């Protein structure tokens, strides 16, 4: 209890000093000043949810850095090192906009186009969580996949017949037009197959990430990498997990990526089975 009170006093001092992250977490129903929607607390193991600006910067100076970043991205020969540096400097402004204003993804694309580059998704996830997106996800896939397949096959009667096809032909996907496939899709993965009437397994010609019905990342090498970038974008854009997939993403977050320990009963049960 003594530690609890000391931490409470420390947070009060931070709040009074103008610490953005603490102030955001304080806003609850009844305390809202009417300036905007109530803000979601950091719940997914974020180390840097809405950090303060660097000591030498303000909103105006960081906006100038953002404009310079956009201009750099228009060049044919882009300075990759400079882009990375400017994305690092403007991180606090970007998080403030995304968390406080909750813009549409299309607006984020317009203001922060570099955020949708593969390298910067990885960097942004590292800034937010202190974990490497691709390395950690790849290691978790290698560790858990054999056991996951055994669990699915052991319980195949609990799943529809399509599960057998999925297990035996993991590259089997629909080939409807992209517009139809992405319609109504909040977050997802689109696999484009070669149009071939032969009986041979279809060839994947493109794998893409879809957010708010738009393809925001494409030409990715494989499904695991694509899913990792989708997960990284959920963090970078501060998106809610889709309700119908909340347990899937909670499993990825807390079991695979080890971001948070407060597991739901369903995910805890699943984790115990996987780690047996």
């Amino acid at each position: 209890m003594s530690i609890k009170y000391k931490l409470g006093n420390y947070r009060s001092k931070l709040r009074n000093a103008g610490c953005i992250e603490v102030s955001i977490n304080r806003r609850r129903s009844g305390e809202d000043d009417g300036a905007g929607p109530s803000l979601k607390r950091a719940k997914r193991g974020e180390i840097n949810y809405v950090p303060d600006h660097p000591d030498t910067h303000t909103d105006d100076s960081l906006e100038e850095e953002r404009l310079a970043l956009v201009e750099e991205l228009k060049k044919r020969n882009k300075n990759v090192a400079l882009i990375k540096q400017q994305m690092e400097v403007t991180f606090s402004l970007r998080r403030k906009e995304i968390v406080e204003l909750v813009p549409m993804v299309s607006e984020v694309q317009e203001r922060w186009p570099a955020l949708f580059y593969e390298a910067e998704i990885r960097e942004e996830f590292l800034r937010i969580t202190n974990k490497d997106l691709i390395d950690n996800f790849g290691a978790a896939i290698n560790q858990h996949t054999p056991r996951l397949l055994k669990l699915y096959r052991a319980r195949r009667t609990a799943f529809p017949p399509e599960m057998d096809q999925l297990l035996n032909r993991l590259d089997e996907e629909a080939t409807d037009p992209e517009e139809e496939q992405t319609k109504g899709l909040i977050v997802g993965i689109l696999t484009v197959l070669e149009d071939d009437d032969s009986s041979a397994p279809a060839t994947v010609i493109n794998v893409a990430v879809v957010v708010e019905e738009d393809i925001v990342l494409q030409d990715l090498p494989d499904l695991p990498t694509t899913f990792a970038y989708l997960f990284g974008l959920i963090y970078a854009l501060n998106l809610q997990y889709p309700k119908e997939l909340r347990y899937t993403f909670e499993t990825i977050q807390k079991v695979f990526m080890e971001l948070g320990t407060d597991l739901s009963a369903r995910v805890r049960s699943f984790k115990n089975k996987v780690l047996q």
Side-chain angles (χ1 to χ4, degrees), residues 151-152 155-163:
L151 286 175
Y152 278 125
R155 298 192 59 202
R156 63 174 56 186
T157 56
F159 298 98
E162 290 78 12
M163 181 59 71

Side-chain angles (χ1 to χ4, degrees), residues 26-268:
R26 183 178 175 82
R27 291 183 61 181
R28 306 182 183 93
S29 59
E31 293 183 74
D32 196 352
D33 57 7
S38 58
L39 300 173
K40 182 184 75 67
R41 290 170 177 260
K43 294 181 179 179
R44 297 196 290 236
E46 297 99 328
I47 303 300
N48 295 305
Y49 187 52
V50 187
D52 292 320
H53 292 334
D55 291 339
T56 58
H57 283 285
T58 63
D59 281 1
D60 292 338
S61 65
L62 290 176
E63 176 63 14
E64 292 177 4
E65 292 282 352
R66 185 194 70 80
L67 293 173
L69 174 60
V70 171
E71 289 302 314
E72 180 64 33
L73 290 169
K74 294 178 181 179
K75 297 179 181 178
R76 176 172 297 182
N77 297 318
K78 300 175 179 61
N79 187 330
V80 177
L82 179 61
I83 291 171
K84 181 178 179 180
Q85 177 186 351
Q86 289 174 320
M87 285 292 285
E88 181 71 35
V89 169
T90 56
F91 174 60
S92 59
L93 177 64
R94 187 163 56 254
R95 290 301 293 174
K96 181 180 178 182
E97 288 183 8
I98 289 173
V99 174
E100 289 190 352
L101 302 179
V102 195
M104 297 290 291
V105 172
S106 57
E107 296 176 47
V108 181
Q109 282 184 292
E110 183 178 349
R111 284 184 59 78
W112 303 99
L115 187 59
F116 296 85
Y117 286 27
E118 294 173 36
E120 283 306 321
I121 295 172
R122 190 168 178 172
E123 289 293 334
E124 194 82 348
F125 190 80
L126 181 63
R127 294 179 192 111
I128 296 170
T129 67
N130 262 1
K131 285 183 178 286
D132 187 283
L133 175 64
I134 302 301
D135 289 350
N136 282 69
F137 188 76
I141 286 288
N142 291 334
Q143 176 185 353
H144 296 303
T145 294
R147 180 62 181 165
L148 286 171
L149 291 176
K150 288 181 180 179
L151 286 175
Y152 278 125
R153 287 193 168 98
R155 298 192 59 202
R156 63 174 56 186
T157 56
F159 298 98
E162 290 78 12
M163 181 59 71
D164 283 338
Q165 300 175 15
L166 179 63
L167 292 173
N168 295 327
R169 297 181 62 186
L170 294 177
D171 58 351
E172 189 76 29
E173 295 287 346
T175 57
D176 293 338
E178 292 181 5
E179 294 81 4
E180 293 298 321
Q181 287 293 312
T182 61
K183 187 176 181 179
L185 192 60
I186 303 302
V187 297
I189 294 172
L190 177 66
T191 303
V192 182
L193 305 180
E194 186 177 21
D195 189 8
D196 189 352
D197 294 332
S198 68
S199 59
T203 301
V204 176
I205 60 176
N206 193 2
V207 187
V209 173
V210 179
V211 179
E212 292 182 357
E213 300 188 356
D214 289 331
I215 294 176
V216 297
L217 201 63
Q218 58 183 320
D219 298 323
L220 295 167
D222 51 57
L223 283 171
T225 301
T226 305
F227 192 93
Y229 281 121
L230 171 60
F231 187 73
L233 277 171
I234 286 175
Y235 271 73
L237 300 172
N238 198 40
L239 300 174
Q240 298 281 4
Y241 294 152
K243 185 177 180 180
E244 63 275 15
L245 295 173
R246 63 187 183 280
Y247 294 118
T248 298
F249 281 106
E250 184 188 347
T251 299
I252 298 300
Q253 173 198 330
K254 297 178 181 178
V255 180
F256 281 45
M257 301 298 289
E258 298 180 345
L259 290 167
T261 56
D262 185 18
L263 279 64
S264 65
R266 182 175 296 187
V267 173
R268 185 181 298 107

